[in-house]
Amino acid sequence: MINRILILFFVFLVTSAYSQAQQIIRYNQPRELLEMGFYARYFDDKTNQLSHVQISQLPERQYTNSPDKVINLGFTPSRIWLKWDIRNQTNEPIYAILEAQDVDFVDAYVVSEDTTYFLETGVLRPFSNRHFGINSITLYLGQHPRLLYIALKDMNGLVLPIKLGAIRPVVQKVYRETMINAFVVGVMTLISLFSFFMFVSLRDRTYLLYALHILFSALTLLTFEGYLFDLLWREMPYMNNGINSSLIRLFTLLTSIAFSVSFLNISTTHPRINRAYKGVGILAIGVVLAKLVGIQSAEMVFNVIVLVTFLSFLATGFWLYRRGFRAARFYLLGWGIYIIEILLLMLTLFNVISFDHTFTYYGYQIGAVCQATLLTFALIDRINILRDSNSQSQELALKRLDENQQLIEQYNLALENQLQQTQPTASIELQQVLRVIKEERERVKKIPIPTMESVLLFFPGDIVRIEALGSYTTVHFINRKELVASRSIAEFELVLIDHDHFFKVHKSHLVNLNYITKYRRGDGGTLIMTDGSEVDVARRVKPEFLKKMGLDS
């Protein structure tokens, strides 16, 4: 029995010693970054008033060991002090780099054999306080550091990846993150500009709402990563007081709701769902206002609203896709990936999963790029679906119009035949009536002109000339407008064969004789049309053309 007690006591001593040894960071790989979270001990300063001197004098028992590789302190109104024992076993000075760039207040107390100082930094402190003039907060620890104290206070959740390393891996880390963020923002900017261009071209407000949503998503990323502070208002740290970031995130949510309602046509087809989304928007506005007046729990409530809203997008899109709305397929993929990444980030804030994985660390970037790209595919797919629908509608309308036109022609022919049978020797008046009927039939008869997207019907009398353009043609109208038709000039000759006032004066020109204002003599001659254009007459058709115009005498 005594032996068993001695063994247990020995195991306890060894475990305790090992536990204490774990708290000392021993840095010995100068080309790598070392995660510091697991070695941290923290103290909850509920008074928010203890100085770094007072903190350094606290007994060790008042600190609590951090259980995670990435420090995750959740939502707290307190100021959290973190403490590390550090031993540098390389010949290079080392640095601590904080990878959360949007923390309001960061106070650092460095105790080293070659440097000891106290630093106040964070997004609500002057940018000039930072050791390097970059968006990431980097602390110089010297070559022989002993203790590092960092105090954190933020209105949002405190999730702080912090790493230790020499200058080379620190620079590589900053460079890699800058390139990734620049790529993501570049993609989102191009997609936003493309969507705005589509809005200007098509006058479809869905594209405008999408452009605004992508714009605010990009601004959200720039806020989280500290680039707005770095690039726009270095001398104005008060611009980072939480109002700007809260409003940007709010507009990101509101534009996502407006875009989804417009894209899925919810306002027309499902008014109840539309009213529900309006209620969500009003609720989100109220929660953000509560956050701005200092209610700490409002941030967590807003995150829950965002998550639930995005999940509802996925559910609504899936439901509409099952009901036959084909345009929802890329919409589902875009929101699905984005929502998964947002869900992972939310779980890290609630300390459910760790923050040190690629899909959580770069979660917003991955989700934003996938969402922007796939929703752009959804918008393009929507254009194709609408174009197919319009094409089918036009084909049906053309078919019905052609049937009506054939009925009118049959009626006119029957009327002519009946009049001629009634009076075999037609009088002059009857001949005039028959001629008027024939001219009216030719006048109202439209010809089809196929374009790249559809088939359009026009009166032949509105066409001034038809110009060859390879296997295509350019049709010029009396109102000085033109249309590129996917039909050759030879095909137009066959279509217009019954219209005597069209004549092919050149291998590349078919003109309406009624719109010739002047004939200029020459080898073949030149025509001046009513639209001001000049058309050459081929030498081989000149005699026939002059005879047609009565100019052969």
Side-chain angles (χ1 to χ4, degrees), residues 397-399 401-402 405 446-449 455-459:
L398 288 173
K399 183 178 179 181
L401 185 61
D402 186 57
Q405 187 170 297
K446 293 184 177 181
I447 62 169
I449 299 181
V455 178
L456 305 175
L457 291 177
F458 291 96
F459 293 114

Side-chain angles (χ1 to χ4, degrees), residues 56-275:
S56 65
Q57 295 173 352
L58 289 177
E60 200 66 34
R61 64 177 180 277
Q62 294 196 24
Y63 287 90
T64 303
N65 291 337
S66 173
D68 303 311
K69 291 175 64 177
V70 176
I71 298 168
N72 190 337
L73 303 173
F75 299 89
T76 174
S78 303
R79 183 165 63 164
I80 305 298
W81 281 93
L82 302 169
K83 179 183 178 180
W84 289 271
D85 291 332
I86 303 173
R87 301 295 181 268
N88 179 19
Q89 297 178 344
T90 70
N91 296 323
E92 301 180 29
I94 59 176
Y95 301 81
I97 179 170
L98 283 67
E99 296 178 323
Q101 289 83 15
D102 60 339
V103 181
D104 292 344
F105 300 99
V106 179
D107 298 337
Y109 180 43
V110 178
V111 179
S112 175
E113 293 181 7
D114 47 356
T115 179
T116 298
Y117 65 92
F118 175 71
L119 175 68
E120 294 181 335
T121 184
V123 296
L124 292 181
R125 301 274 177 61
F127 199 89
S128 57
N129 287 10
R130 304 190 178 195
H131 184 79
F132 296 119
I134 57 176
N135 63 309
S136 298
I137 297 175
T138 306
L139 304 174
Y140 175 69
L141 305 183
Q143 189 170 345
H144 304 289
R146 286 293 177 260
L147 295 173
L148 171 63
Y149 299 88
I150 295 180
L152 305 171
K153 183 174 174 60
D154 192 88
M155 189 174 185
N156 302 323
L158 281 174
V159 179
L160 183 66
I162 179 170
K163 290 184 171 64
L164 182 71
I167 187 64
R168 180 174 296 182
V170 168
V171 171
Q172 291 175 344
K173 176 70 174 178
V174 173
Y175 175 79
R176 182 171 61 252
E177 292 205 357
T178 302
M179 291 298 101
I180 292 174
N181 290 324
F183 170 77
V184 172
V185 173
V187 169
M188 297 176 76
T189 301
L190 289 175
I191 290 176
S192 181
L193 291 174
F194 169 77
S195 300
F196 184 75
F197 172 77
M198 295 298 294
F199 163 71
V200 173
S201 302
L202 303 176
R203 294 298 175 184
D204 186 344
R205 65 189 295 268
T206 304
Y207 294 92
L208 176 61
L209 294 172
Y210 182 61
L212 292 174
H213 171 64
I214 295 299
L215 175 63
F216 283 111
S217 295
L219 289 175
T220 300
L221 174 62
L222 292 174
T223 301
F224 285 160
E225 297 297 323
Y227 289 108
L228 291 184
F229 187 22
D230 187 0
L231 300 175
L232 298 182
W233 47 70
R234 282 194 171 198
E235 306 302 322
M236 299 179 290
Y238 54 84
M239 292 291 289
N240 303 312
N241 59 3
I243 296 178
N244 290 327
S245 62
S246 297
L247 292 178
I248 289 173
R249 293 170 60 205
L250 174 63
F251 283 120
T252 302
L253 175 64
L254 295 180
T255 52
S256 70
I257 293 174
F259 163 71
S260 295
V261 168
S262 179
F263 181 85
L264 299 175
N265 200 23
I266 292 176
S267 58
T268 303
T269 58
H270 302 89
R272 290 185 178 179
I273 299 178
N274 185 42
R275 288 194 294 270

Side-chain angles (χ1 to χ4, degrees), residues 29 36 66 116-117 196 235 244 323 330 354 387 434 462 476 500 521 523 551:
Q29 298 293 331
M36 298 177 63
S66 173
T116 298
Y117 65 92
F196 184 75
E235 306 302 322
N244 290 327
R323 291 171 64 92
F330 288 112
S354 176
R387 185 171 59 186
L434 293 174
D462 293 338
H476 300 266
D500 296 335
R521 297 183 184 277
D523 189 18
L551 301 173

